Amino acid sequence: MLPVPAQCDTVHCSRTKEDQGEETAFRDVVSFTPDPLPVRYYDKDTTRPVSFYLSSLEELLAWTPVMEDGFNVALEPRERRQPPLSSPRPRTLLCHDMMGGYLEDRFIQGSQAQDPYSFYHWQYIDVFVYFSHHTVTIPPVCWTNAAHRHGVCVLGTFITEWQEGGRLCESFLAGDARSYQAVADRLVQMAQFFRFDGWLINIENSLSPAAVRNTPPFLQYLTTQLHQQVPGGLVLWYDSVVQSGQLKWQDELNEQNRIFFDSCDGFFTNYNWQEDHLQRMVAQAGERLADVYVGVDVFARSNVVGGRFDTDKSLELIRKYGFSAALFAPGWVYECLEKSDFFQNQDKFWRLLERFLPTHSICSLPFVTSFCLGLGTRRVCYGKEQAVGPWYHPSAQETQPLFGEHKLAGDGAGWVKTQCCLADAWHGGGSLLLRGLIPPEVDNVAVRLFSLHVPVPPKLFLSMVYKFEGSMDVQVALELTTGEAGSCHVGSVSVLNGWIQVLLWAGHGDVHTGWLWRWQETGSRHSPRPLQVPPTKLARWVGRCGQQLSGGWIQRCYEVSLHGCLLQDLLVSFSRLPGSSREEKSFVCRLGEIQVVDANSLLAPLPRVQNVTISQIRWVPLISGSEGLPARLLLSCTLHWSFPLLQARCFRIHCWERTGSSSATEEPSGTEKPVFLGLAFANLYRVVDLAVEAARFGQDGRVEFLVEPVPREGFLVPQAEWGRAALLYSAPQ
């Protein structure tokens, strides 16, 4: 359990009741000599919270969770997926190694980085390893949040190297079992606390006979304990040391290193293999072919097969023999090629590999995505511009689709291309851009965006936000395919063939005025008819449905009743308007959001944000006024609150500033809007360098902080239901 900061340890506080709930007011006398912050957890220049690593065994063994560790705890539990990671299907591991690690991704609350690295082809990935050359590499929480949102397992790295690594290994492996068990216990505790999924163990130094004898028991103990504490957790061993204790990379699994493979969940080979290595490994791996991750250095260093834009050659051989693949440093497309062409190069790299990369399916509802990459040149909130300027916050990356170009089967000329786009956004920093062509000989073209494996609840609500670029005679449809799960029914109509296609028509410029849509059976396809008035309890979710929204966006909402069915694919199709000519039609469409929600979840009450506290207050003079006293101040402080995290997508943090009043209950005027500060993906947030007016003698300054919960279903919560706390501050006497 994360320690909660005391509410009144450094400031005097009082509680006051407000009409809309309970607010806590904290009082502070401005001082420019604050208590120092723990160096490990905060950037020394800005006091922004940062992800961290450990450089020694002593640091690891001494670690116990404190309040600041809460910044690094992942909000997102790992989504269920199909097939599960334990299936025998060959897997794909991505090992992220970029310029030493802990770059802009270390800033937990995001940064203003321009042209940062971003990864978004998650549907191809099963395991993500964050790699650096620090002894204990804890994955930055932003990567864990993004990966878990896509059902991807996240591993940290425990590495020892060179002579210092040899001394470190001697200190915990050459002694009795208690020494290596203490290290393993701490590694398990860190994975459990920070909510990532396990470790890559990389011993790149020679081991003494005593140390190498204890290495398999260390791996066995670590693996057993991790499985007990972290469901679905993994421990992988890197091909380096052999059973004699020598540092001798084998580039394969063989008799010299299989004792380590037999002691954990998997084996990550070195990179200088050839096809004969793969042939020999088939017999060594036996039934555990998928537990052998054949290393591929995307930088193509040394004597390797493939790499760079020829990495498909590596994958072709690896899959030929049924092994999993470990792609090391695919950030090559960012590090070594033009930054201005990054998105095109990244899409090209993964497009060349896609035939060797089986996808996995999403298995839970609600399913909500705005296609945001966790970065942008401006920030948009439901069609309204919230901030202008570059931002980078990978925790804010939403579920990403399958990217690429999809062509009609056969010799047809029709196609649809999907790509991320930062030029426009409905929510976040970008949208999904779809370009395509409907040839004269067909009526429509379609593209699969997501693979699903979700048993359908009795009633679903769906929503799509979209807009076309330019005027065109094309309509867009959201399509679901369902597989039979026992007997599949649409409403009261039984579907006999086991497969149905549900089409949700939302034509460009159509004249429907209903809030929701209800199904009306018309053969094997199902056309909706308007439902004029939404149920009262759903009013928040459907508030914008059927309306022309700001920025030219349109939102359509639908109601679907299915029984005994399994959702399998989510597609978007584009078709000619009825009665239009048969000529070739091109189109450009943006998707701003898709939602698939269990209707019952919209009926459950949303919990309130409670117990908002303010602590770790720091003041810095900004602008001097008369008599040498500061007229403006920079305020930094930590907010903490209570809310069940499994019910939150994130939290939006806002503030109001009031001066010249000591009233804790004074509300800003009805027309005044709070200022957006940032996003939080935990129950705490660090306010950094907020400019406020200095308090005058005899009067209090006042800043009110508001914590807006964002439900997983994706609707707006009224401001009256946000959490809040006020800071009353006075000038020093």
Side-chain angles (χ1 to χ4, degrees), residues 426-592:
W426 161 250
H427 188 66
S431 55
L432 184 67
L433 185 65
L434 299 102
R435 302 175 183 270
L437 181 74
I438 305 174
E441 63 271 16
V442 300
D443 292 325
N444 63 77
V445 292
V447 57
R448 183 178 70 141
L449 297 183
F450 298 98
S451 174
L452 308 174
H453 189 88
V454 182
V456 182
K459 184 174 291 186
L460 282 175
F461 289 111
L462 302 98
S463 166
M464 175 172 63
V465 177
Y466 69 97
K467 69 176 176 180
F468 281 97
E469 297 291 315
S471 178
M472 54 191 69
D473 298 329
V474 175
Q475 58 189 3
V476 59
L478 188 63
E479 297 186 8
L480 299 174
T481 66
T482 69
E484 186 174 11
S487 177
C488 184
H489 298 268
V490 180
S492 60
V493 180
S494 177
V495 179
L496 302 178
N497 60 6
W499 288 89
I500 65 170
Q501 189 174 55
V502 178
L503 276 79
L504 313 178
W505 295 105
H508 179 47
D510 59 26
V511 296
H512 296 300
T513 58
W515 292 90
L516 286 167
W517 303 82
R518 179 175 289 159
W519 297 108
Q520 188 173 27
E521 175 65 12
T522 57
S524 61
R525 290 187 173 185
H526 310 278
S527 301
R529 60 183 175 84
L531 180 65
Q532 297 298 328
V533 181
T536 302
K537 291 183 178 181
L538 303 179
R540 290 180 185 175
W541 191 78
V542 300
R544 296 180 298 265
C545 294
Q547 298 182 16
Q548 184 82 29
L549 306 171
S550 60
W553 295 98
I554 300 169
Q555 183 169 11
R556 298 289 180 235
C557 304
Y558 313 91
E559 175 187 338
V560 187
S561 294
L562 298 169
H563 302 281
C565 303
L566 191 71
L567 292 183
Q568 291 199 320
D569 291 297
L570 193 152
L571 308 92
V572 174
S573 72
F574 299 88
S575 60
R576 307 172 184 280
L577 289 174
S580 63
S581 65
R582 301 294 302 181
E583 64 188 24
E584 180 178 280
K585 292 187 180 295
S586 61
F587 58 85
V588 179
C589 180
R590 297 183 191 278
L591 288 187

Side-chain angles (χ1 to χ4, degrees), residues 40-41 52 54-66 69 136 182-183 185-187 189-190:
R40 173 188 292 170
Y41 301 101
F52 65 93
L54 304 178
S55 299
S56 69
L57 203 61
E58 292 74 22
E59 283 186 282
L60 172 65
L61 294 173
W63 177 83
T64 55
V66 297
D69 282 301
V136 181
V183 171
D185 287 340
R186 194 62 82 220
L187 292 174
Q189 184 185 6
M190 295 191 95

Side-chain angles (χ1 to χ4, degrees), residues 16 34 39 48 160 171 174 185 228 310 319 328 423-424 433 435 525 567 582 586 643 661 695 718:
T16 59
V39 175
R48 288 188 290 171
T160 63
S171 69
D185 287 340
Q228 290 177 0
D310 289 326
R319 298 307 196 211
F328 184 80
D424 202 353
L433 185 65
R435 302 175 183 270
R525 290 187 173 185
L567 292 183
R582 301 294 302 181
S586 61
F643 190 89
S661 170

Side-chain angles (χ1 to χ4, degrees), residues 62 67 127 138 157 180 236 242 266 298 321 343 376 397 513 624 630 659 710 722:
M67 187 270 284
V127 181
I138 304 166
T157 304
Y180 66 72
L236 303 183
V242 294
V298 176
Y321 293 96
F343 290 106
Q397 185 184 95
T513 58
S624 295
T659 56
V710 180
W722 299 359

